Amino acid sequence: MMRLPSFDVAIPRTMPELLENLRPNGLGVKIMAGGTDLLVNMKQGFHISRRLVWPGRIEELRHINTQIGGEISIGAMATLSDVAASDVVKTSYPSLSKAVLSIATPAVRNRATIGGNLCLDTRCYFYNESEFWRSSLGGCLKLNIPTHGTGDVCHSAPGNAMCSAVSSSDSAPILLALGASVEIQSAQGKRIVPLSDFYANDGMRFLNLATGELLKRIILPVSRYGLRSAHNKVRSRQSVDFPLANVGIAGVVEDGRVFTYLRIYVGAIQSAPIRVPSAEALLNGREATTVLIEKGAEEAASCVKPIQNVGGTVGYRKRMVAMLVKRTLVQLLTSARD
Ligand SMILES: Cc1cc2nc3c(=O)[nH]c(=O)nc-3n(C[C@H](O)[C@H](O)[C@H](O)COP(=O)(O)OP(=O)(O)OC[C@H]3O[C@@H](n4cnc5c(N)ncnc54)[C@H](O)[C@@H]3O)c2cc1C
Ligand code: SF4
């Protein structure tokens, strides 16, 4: 049986108290939101934190509303169930509601948060295993095993100098396609950055988030007139599973057949969701025939670089990217305005 290591939990009631608790103090402080990923990872021995900070009592982190300028603001501690059920989200961006409903199960979504989903640890089948299983191979670039130390090799791609563990968030690609930003707060102040700048394509340092910083809220811009968007994923088990590939696409359809302002993001393949500008350029401004859509989908698949580190083969995941991009573009063409 895998046991959780011992730790204490701080439950601040105000933002200043929370930020004070996040200051580095030698205890390896971690934010615990819903804990649906963090606690599993702690059981498997990835994080050695002696203090978890749970911001769940801070009301301002759970809001979902429309701001005076028309942007939508979603507090990082809003649960996935709340985001999916929100009338604000369903009215302006139903594709986000649908993406969130594809995550895990109702019980997990009642606990898991949108902030935790955006900050989800990267995954790899040499990493997301029990310590007993992992110790047979020894550590890797991302993983230090107490009995074996940190490895200096990537078991998935032995020649690689960098870890390519996979960004598996199902909300990130669609939020990126919709042009979301995030507000990040620490005791030193706040900054608002495009969500695209929040991610780095590095399996070990995949978030641009410094020690002591918290993802406070997600901001969705006012929707461009006529914007349509959709999210799709493939997974091994349709009932509940992490994505083997997912896509989030947003764009305007002019005269019912010409894409403009397309933003195409592919997730669950590399360590960050990947934008594919060459596929966007191929599709934008031209009549979206079946042949053009297929070319755009193939171009997107040729831009992403999976390695053999989650389920499915490299070739299969590339085929699935082409299929998902094609399916999603067709949905955009045939759907009503999002
Ligand atoms: C059975 C099962 C199925 C799953 N299926 C999917 C799936 O299909 N798709 C998918 O995307 N995910 C899936 N997940 C993973 C996970 O449940 C979700 O991603 C969930 O949204 C994580 O949110 P959380 O609030 O529980 O995060 P936590 O586990 O609390 O935290 C995750 C990480 O984010 C950090 N963090 C959390 N909030 C913040 C914040 N506000 N600021 C800074 N850092 C923060 C934590 O320190 C931790 O490192 C699944 C999990 C399980 C158990
Ligand atoms: S991609 Fe390589 S370095 Fe990263 S977790 Fe997997 S085996 Fe380790």
Side-chain angles (χ1 to χ4, degrees):
M1 187 166 89
M2 291 190 292
R3 289 184 190 279
L4 267 172
S6 64
F7 54 83
D8 62 39
V9 183
I11 306 182
R13 283 162 196 271
T14 63
M15 272 307 284
E17 217 187 304
L18 166 62
L19 299 175
E20 205 45 49
N21 268 286
L22 294 180
R23 281 183 194 276
N25 58 8
L27 296 173
V29 172
K30 285 288 279 180
I31 296 169
M32 178 176 69
T36 59
D37 191 56
L38 179 71
L39 293 177
V40 177
N41 289 349
M42 284 177 71
K43 270 193 173 181
Q44 291 188 321
F46 304 150
H47 304 299
I48 301 157
S49 295
R50 280 187 287 132
R51 172 158 304 159
L52 301 184
V53 180
W54 184 60
R57 290 270 158 81
I58 301 173
E59 209 48 50
E60 69 175 285
L61 292 177
R62 311 186 81 101
H63 71 272
I64 303 176
N65 60 34
T66 308
Q67 307 276 285
I68 292 166
E71 303 94 351
I72 292 172
S73 177
I74 305 178
M77 288 296 290
T79 65
L80 297 179
S81 295
D82 288 346
V83 174
S86 156
D87 286 336
V88 171
V89 174
K90 282 196 287 188
T91 306
S92 298
Y93 291 119
S95 55
L96 174 60
S97 179
K98 186 181 160 228
V100 164
L101 281 175
S102 79
I103 298 170
T105 62
V108 172
R109 292 194 295 272
N110 286 343
R111 187 81 210 158
T113 65
I114 188 79
N117 190 251
L118 288 181
C119 297
L120 189 65
D121 196 1
T122 53
R123 298 178 63 79
C124 166
Y125 61 29
F126 292 98
Y127 176 73
N128 297 93
E129 287 292 347
S130 68
E131 197 162 324
F132 173 72
W133 188 97
R134 293 187 320 253
S135 59
S136 63
L137 281 177
C140 65
L141 297 171
K142 186 170 164 82
L143 186 68
N144 173 33
I145 300 180
T147 42
H148 293 66
T150 309
D152 55 5
V153 70
C154 168
H155 301 304
S156 312
N160 279 7
M162 260 175 77
C163 166
S164 304
V166 171
S167 159
S168 302
S169 163
D170 271 308
S171 68
I174 190 66
L175 283 168
L176 284 158
L178 293 171
S181 310
V182 284
E183 182 175 324
I184 293 164
Q185 174 107 48
S186 72
Q188 280 70 47
K190 72 169 187 185
R191 56 191 176 104
I192 294 181
V193 296
L195 183 58
S196 50
D197 290 349
F198 187 57
Y199 289 112
N201 190 22
D202 174 339
M204 292 163 72
R205 285 164 287 272
F206 50 93
L207 294 181
N208 290 316
L209 199 64
T211 310
E213 284 188 325
L214 157 98
L215 168 60
K216 189 176 177 193
R217 66 185 180 115
I218 298 127
I219 306 154
L220 281 155
V222 180
S223 179
R224 182 184 289 277
Y225 182 74
L227 191 82
R228 300 178 185 183
S229 60
H231 157 274
N232 278 296
K233 77 189 254 192
V234 279
R235 46 189 154 180
S236 297
R237 288 165 299 190
Q238 190 58 19
S239 53
V240 43
D241 222 331
F242 285 92
L244 293 176
N246 61 15
V247 301
I249 305 184
V252 173
V253 180
E254 285 175 5
D255 303 328
R257 59 204 157 85
V258 178
F259 286 118
T260 53
Y261 301 107
L262 270 179
R263 273 206 203 111
I264 305 178
Y265 276 89
V266 179
I269 296 285
Q270 292 176 227
S271 300
I274 300 296
R275 189 172 181 179
V276 285
S278 56
E280 295 168 7
L282 208 145
L283 291 154
N284 267 328
R286 298 200 197 153
E287 188 177 346
T289 59
T290 307
V291 172
L292 188 74
I293 288 178
E294 274 170 6
K295 274 191 184 161
E298 291 301 331
E299 176 61 27
S302 73
C303 293
V304 295
K305 297 179 178 58
I307 65 166
Q308 193 66 60
N309 60 353
V310 293
T313 62
V314 166
Y316 173 77
R317 282 161 71 217
K318 273 197 168 253
R319 293 309 322 135
M320 290 304 103
V321 170
M323 182 277 290
L324 288 174
V325 171
K326 181 177 166 188
R327 175 181 291 175
T328 311
L329 289 169
V330 171
Q331 277 173 2
L332 257 54
L333 274 183
T334 53
S335 69
R337 189 194 158 269
D338 191 1

